[in-house]
């Protein structure tokens, strides 16, 4: 995750420190929201999503340790604890209640920046969920099963047609060369390349008869001149 994408919640009861951290982190590309205590932090967390929480330990009322322990029951958001106490026991306590890192006051702002950046780099990128089905006009292609459906009717595909459509679906919207199709479908190379390319063209023609409203004017399985073929979905 890049800094320009990250939204930080800064929780500190010291107004001066809170304001300084807010200005410094915004200057370095973060979106920052400030909270004066645990109660205000809870209200903000109830309505907003944050990429990281920077939390002072020594606060009146509910302290940072207690808030971290409570948040960990429902949240996986990274937490960096700040405290004026740098003893080993306090650092261990912070990690035990679920903090991702611990920084003792006073600290150099640049060190805080480096700690925040290091934690954010460890956050995995969100998984891009691929659709289960692709729509080809009145047809529906089940990516996982390699099946083509028209309403409730299953349209039969040969083994080669299944392999061809699966390969094109994996690169939907992008041209796939005949050579790549030959390699993926195991049609051979070298001396057989020319015949294999013809075989691919024949299979494309047959597949078009099953998925195109007008195979002579292909809408979904398009020819890319000088390259190969491309699957275009709705």
């Amino acid at each position: 995750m890049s800094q320009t994408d990250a939204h930080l919640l800064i929780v500190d009861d010291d107004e001066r420190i809170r304001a300084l951290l807010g200005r410094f982190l915004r200057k370095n590309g973060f979106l920052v929201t400030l909270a004066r205590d645990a109660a205000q932090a809870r209200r903000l967390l109830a309505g907003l999503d944050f990429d990281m929480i920077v939390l002072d330990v020594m606060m009146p009322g509910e302290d940072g340790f207690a808030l971290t322990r409570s948040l960990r029951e429902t949240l996986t958001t990274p937490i960096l604890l700040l405290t004026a106490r740098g003893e080993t026991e306090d650092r261990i306590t912070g990690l035990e209640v679920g903090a991702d890192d611990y920084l003792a006051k006073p600290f150099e702002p640049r060190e805080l920046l480096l700690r925040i950046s290091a934690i954010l780099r460890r956050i995995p990128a969100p998984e891009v969920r691929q659709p289960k089905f692709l729509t080809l006009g009145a047809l529906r292609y089940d990516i996982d099963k390699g099946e083509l459906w028209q309403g409730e009717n299953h349209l039969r595909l040969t083994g080669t047609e299944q392999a061809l459509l699966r390969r094109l679906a994996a690169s939907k919207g992008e041209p796939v060369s005949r050579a790549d199709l030959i390699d993926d479908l195991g049609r051979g190379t070298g001396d057989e390349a020319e015949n294999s390319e013809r075989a691919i063209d024949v299979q494309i023609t047959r597949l078009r008869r099953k998925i195109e409203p007008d195979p002579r004017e292909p809408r979904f399985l398009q020819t890319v001149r000088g390259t190969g073929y491309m699957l275009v979905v709705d």
Side-chain angles (χ1 to χ4, degrees), residues 26-42:
R26 290 187 185 105
K27 183 179 178 181
N28 282 274
F30 293 100
L31 176 63
V32 179
T33 298
L34 304 176
R36 62 182 173 272
D37 55 23
Q40 187 179 20
R42 287 183 179 278

Side-chain angles (χ1 to χ4, degrees), residues 89-100:
E89 188 62 32
D90 289 324
R91 293 198 299 272
I92 292 174
T93 300
L95 297 174
E96 286 179 340
V97 297
D100 294 82

Side-chain angles (χ1 to χ4, degrees), residues 10-195:
I10 310 300
V11 189
D12 197 308
D13 65 305
D14 188 315
E15 183 177 358
R16 184 183 65 86
I17 293 178
R18 195 167 66 241
L20 286 172
L21 290 179
R23 286 196 296 270
F24 174 73
L25 292 170
R26 290 187 185 105
K27 183 179 178 181
N28 282 274
F30 293 100
L31 176 63
V32 179
T33 298
L34 304 176
R36 62 182 173 272
D37 55 23
Q40 187 179 20
R42 287 183 179 278
R43 290 194 294 272
L44 290 167
L45 287 163
L48 296 171
D49 291 326
F50 295 93
D51 298 296
M52 188 173 172
I53 303 169
V54 179
L55 174 60
D56 184 36
V57 169
M58 302 299 292
M59 296 187 297
E62 186 178 18
D63 67 17
F65 289 146
L67 180 58
T68 299
R69 182 183 293 109
S70 175
L71 293 178
R72 278 292 171 257
E73 295 178 2
T74 56
L75 289 180
T76 60
T77 306
I79 297 174
L80 171 63
L81 291 178
L82 304 176
T83 183
R85 302 186 305 186
E87 289 81 1
T88 300
E89 188 62 32
D90 289 324
R91 293 198 299 272
I92 292 174
T93 300
L95 297 174
E96 286 179 340
V97 297
D100 294 82
D101 203 352
Y102 192 104
L103 186 58
K105 298 178 180 178
F107 53 82
E108 288 292 329
R110 181 160 176 77
E111 182 179 4
L112 174 62
L113 184 63
L114 292 172
R115 296 284 188 100
I116 291 173
S117 298
I119 292 173
L120 291 175
R121 282 197 301 271
R122 297 199 296 265
I123 300 175
E127 182 180 353
V128 179
R129 301 190 64 178
Q130 297 296 328
K132 178 177 172 57
F133 295 99
L134 297 181
T135 303
L136 307 168
L139 305 182
R140 185 176 76 256
Y141 176 64
D142 187 320
I143 297 174
D144 294 335
K145 297 179 180 179
E147 295 177 347
L148 191 63
W149 293 81
Q150 185 173 26
E152 298 300 317
N153 297 320
H154 177 216
L155 304 181
R156 182 180 175 278
L157 297 174
T158 66
T160 300
E161 289 168 348
Q162 286 180 358
L164 186 59
L165 189 52
R166 187 185 298 275
R167 175 62 182 86
L168 291 166
S171 302
K172 63 183 183 298
E174 299 178 0
V176 181
S177 69
R178 288 181 175 84
D180 285 343
L181 292 174
I182 290 167
D183 288 343
D184 292 337
L185 272 61
R187 289 290 183 179
T189 57
D191 293 339
E192 299 178 1
E194 184 176 351
N195 288 334

